[in-house]
Amino acid sequence: MAVSTVRRRRLGGVLRKLREERKLTAEVVAEATGMSQAKLTRIETAHTAAKVEDVNRLLDFYGCEDEDYRAGLIAITKDGSKRGWWLSYRDVINSTAADLILLEADAATYRTYEPAFVPGLFQTPEYARIVIGRLRIRSGGSVEDLVQVRMARQSILTRPNPVQVRAVIHEAALLANADRPEIMVPQLERLLTLSSLPSIDIQVMPVGAAVHPGMTGAFAMMGFPQRKDLDVVLVEGLLSSLWVEDPSDVELYRAKFREITAEAMSVDSSLAFITAQRDRIK
């Protein structure tokens, strides 16, 4: 599997920005670093994957002394050589899902708002089977294959250094399927179990909440440990999905997520709500 196209674009954009901030032409940089101008342009425009030695050479020439920043860029570069469980599903998942899996695996933080469903990272196999079966509009891969992929993604929640998750789920998503307790009771219990982990906070957005930014739809923001300007946001749609990569746009989503969490129930009240709903339909 090739390097995540999202990460490749971020890497190319950062390298181009570093060059432009120093008012250097691609020709000058290529000559000074022993790299062809065509190769530098392909790296900056994400048409080719950079090698670690290429990135280090460029960062040295640009005088990048921020070691954390350099480490983040090198980590992105190394994505290209990663091999993982998702390779067995390369014929099943689309490019957005492949990008998401790679990004989730590297992320330190995960912030998501879901107005209609329990987030995929929290779903039980039975719940995921219903969601995937009803919403799938393309025939690539079986429902069971896609459920297995979704379950495998959840390993980031319990790995030795788990991703720090904050999720806001709309009340309506937790009230849905109440007539199917065999599906929803285990799903609600799964949320309660996950909430006991120190790395996971779950809040519920009440039906009666005031107008808030989450009303525009679901999104997920992945944060990386080195620098905030490497963070990305995924806005998923029925036919296509959008990766938000520009740092100023990502910062806007970060601010809006703070507004969403402020409007939602507290963590304790949310757990009480989930518990009551489970007991009601049990």
Side-chain angles (χ1 to χ4, degrees), residues 43 67 76 82 113 270:
I43 290 173
E67 290 305 318
I76 293 174
K82 279 189 174 180
Y113 175 71
S270 297

Side-chain angles (χ1 to χ4, degrees), residues 39-159:
K39 181 178 183 179
L40 176 61
T41 299
R42 289 196 302 272
I43 290 173
E44 289 186 349
T45 56
H47 284 93
T48 193
K51 296 179 179 178
V52 171
E53 53 266 32
D54 295 331
V55 176
N56 273 322
R57 195 182 317 157
L58 290 169
L59 294 177
D60 287 342
F61 182 67
Y62 296 146
C64 178
E65 298 179 352
D66 186 330
E67 290 305 318
D68 287 341
Y69 195 36
R70 180 186 290 260
L73 295 176
I74 295 302
I76 293 174
T77 309
K78 287 180 177 178
D79 273 349
S81 61
K82 279 189 174 180
R83 295 293 182 268
W85 59 265
W86 54 85
L87 283 176
S88 2
Y89 295 98
R90 59 185 176 273
D91 297 328
V92 174
I93 58 178
N94 59 28
S95 60
T96 299
D99 282 343
L100 177 61
I101 290 167
L102 279 166
L103 289 164
E104 286 176 341
D106 283 344
T109 61
Y110 192 97
R111 305 286 181 262
T112 186
Y113 175 71
E114 251 308 342
F117 310 103
V118 171
L121 285 178
F122 296 164
Q123 291 176 6
T124 63
E126 294 76 15
Y127 184 96
R129 197 167 288 117
I130 291 176
V131 173
I132 292 170
R134 292 299 300 271
L135 298 186
R136 192 170 63 126
I137 57 174
R138 294 193 170 96
S139 57
S142 69
V143 169
E144 286 308 309
D145 283 339
L146 295 172
V147 169
Q148 288 179 33
V149 170
R150 186 160 296 183
M151 295 304 103
R153 283 173 50 207
Q154 296 177 3
S155 64
I156 66 172
L157 303 177
T158 53
R159 66 193 183 192

